[in-house]
Amino acid sequence: MLKTYHLYILHKFLKLFLIVSLVFLSLTIILNIFEEISFFKNIDVISIMPYFLSLLNAPISLFEIFPFVFLITTLFFFYEIIKNDELTLFKNIGISNFKIITILFFFTVIMGLFIIIIYYNFSSKLKFAYTDIKNSYSNDNKYLAVVNDSGLWLKDETNSSILIIKSTSMNDNFLSQVVINEFDLDFRLKRTLISEKVDISNKIWILYNPIVSQNNNSKSSEEIIKFTTNFDSEKIKKLFSNFSTLGVMELFDLKKDYENLGYSSDEIKIHIYKLFLSPYLFALMTLLSAIIMINIKRNNSIFFNIIVGIFTSVIIYYFNFIFISLGNTGKIPPDISVFLPALFITIISLIGLVRINEK
């Protein structure tokens, strides 16, 4: 049963969280507007379009910075209760610093679960709509890529041809068991090329020992054929790197499709791990921020501790970024790239909790 002081602490924290979130959301929308205006400056669209797209994109952008929203919220929460001498009042009625931190920690975990289950899935739908609308005004809209149970499918368009390409698997810079159907611009079949192995390291593909079918005749070649497309291995990887447009269940489906294709699913695993770890990470940032503020020296300005907290958040961001990058490039396993930074922050926070009630 929640007691009166529980409700007071939670109400104060939630109020500050909403204010800080609104400030960051507003800043995100403003920055997005400038980016969208720049994108549409040479495109004839209704004047409201950049603002509408900014609103669609802002929620998922806010999700990415939620760890720092929780950190800054906690900084200002303790700033207020220290400024108003409420921390001393809590101690006088038997509410220790550790108890306050525990309340905030578990409340943050609950908020994190709500954010992942409700907010993230809703934001990913908005991000998908944003991407879909923006792609319709992009030159890349004629290039499509899909992964499903049957493999990798590509739609490409050159000056004189439309290409429908299917491959059963992808390994680094090579596609396996490739079928390329080449149509003219009126969608009349020109020829079909079949190859067991295709080098896609650049946009001039190399087909090894291809079978070419044209005008109802098929012939095999023991040599290579060079074939010009708008895709290379790097571009294909980038087309599937925007996981923020997918909900949690859709991420699991895509992971399965990647594995069926033989394509590395490490980036998806890292994204999924980050999502499931997010509630705990939010709580860690709250815990770390509380420790910084409670350990304030009375002869130091409280704003000094706020600056220290913000500086700490920047260090944590780059620390996480380095490990995630190492995971995405295959230098370290995906689980280590996500969980090791969280473990490090946990150890630092536990050290900071020593004698916290004496502060």
Side-chain angles (χ1 to χ4, degrees), residues 9-21 62-63 66-67 69-71 73-74 77 102-121 275-283 286:
I9 291 172
L10 298 182
H11 176 268
K12 194 179 193 69
F13 184 84
L14 184 58
K15 179 182 175 182
L16 286 169
F17 174 79
L18 293 174
I19 292 173
V20 173
S21 296
L62 178 64
F63 174 81
F66 263 143
V69 171
F70 278 101
L71 184 141
T73 297
T74 309
F77 172 84
T102 302
I103 293 169
L104 293 178
F105 183 89
F106 286 105
F107 182 59
T108 303
V109 170
I110 294 171
M111 289 177 66
L113 291 173
F114 174 83
I115 288 171
I116 295 300
I117 296 170
I118 306 298
Y119 180 87
Y120 174 79
N121 283 290
L275 285 179
F276 281 95
L277 191 64
S278 290
Y280 179 68
L281 182 60
F282 297 159
T286 297

Side-chain angles (χ1 to χ4, degrees), residues 191-251:
R191 61 175 175 166
T192 299
L193 298 96
I194 302 173
S195 177
E196 290 294 317
K197 182 180 179 182
V198 178
D199 184 344
I200 59 168
S201 54
N202 57 61
K203 293 181 180 179
I204 301 176
W205 291 10
I206 300 176
L207 283 66
Y208 294 93
N209 304 320
I211 299 173
V212 182
S213 297
Q214 189 171 15
N215 299 324
N216 296 321
N217 293 317
S218 296
K219 62 178 180 178
S220 301
S221 173
E222 295 182 357
E223 299 180 355
I224 65 172
I225 290 180
K226 293 187 177 181
F227 197 86
T228 302
T229 74
N230 291 295
F231 287 100
D232 56 19
S233 58
E234 190 65 28
K235 182 170 183 176
I236 292 173
K237 291 174 184 177
K238 286 182 179 178
L239 286 172
F240 296 112
S241 63
N242 192 3
F243 303 126
S244 60
T245 61
L246 302 175
V248 175
M249 298 310 299
E250 292 169 320
L251 285 168

Side-chain angles (χ1 to χ4, degrees), residues 304-319:
F304 172 79
N305 288 65
I306 293 176
I307 293 172
V308 169
I310 295 173
F311 180 71
T312 301
S313 71
V314 174
I315 293 176
I316 291 173
Y317 171 81
Y318 282 106
F319 185 66

Side-chain angles (χ1 to χ4, degrees), residues 276-333:
F276 281 95
L277 191 64
S278 290
Y280 179 68
L281 182 60
F282 297 159
L284 269 184
M285 299 299 278
T286 297
L287 175 61
L288 190 61
S289 179
I291 291 169
I292 291 172
M293 293 301 290
I294 289 178
N295 279 278
I296 184 173
K297 294 182 179 179
R298 297 300 176 182
N299 58 339
N300 283 343
S301 167
I302 198 164
F303 284 104
F304 172 79
N305 288 65
I306 293 176
I307 293 172
V308 169
I310 295 173
F311 180 71
T312 301
S313 71
V314 174
I315 293 176
I316 291 173
Y317 171 81
Y318 282 106
F319 185 66
N320 273 313
F321 178 80
I322 290 170
F323 274 85
I324 295 298
S325 298
L326 290 173
N328 285 332
T329 55
K331 299 292 190 300
I332 58 177

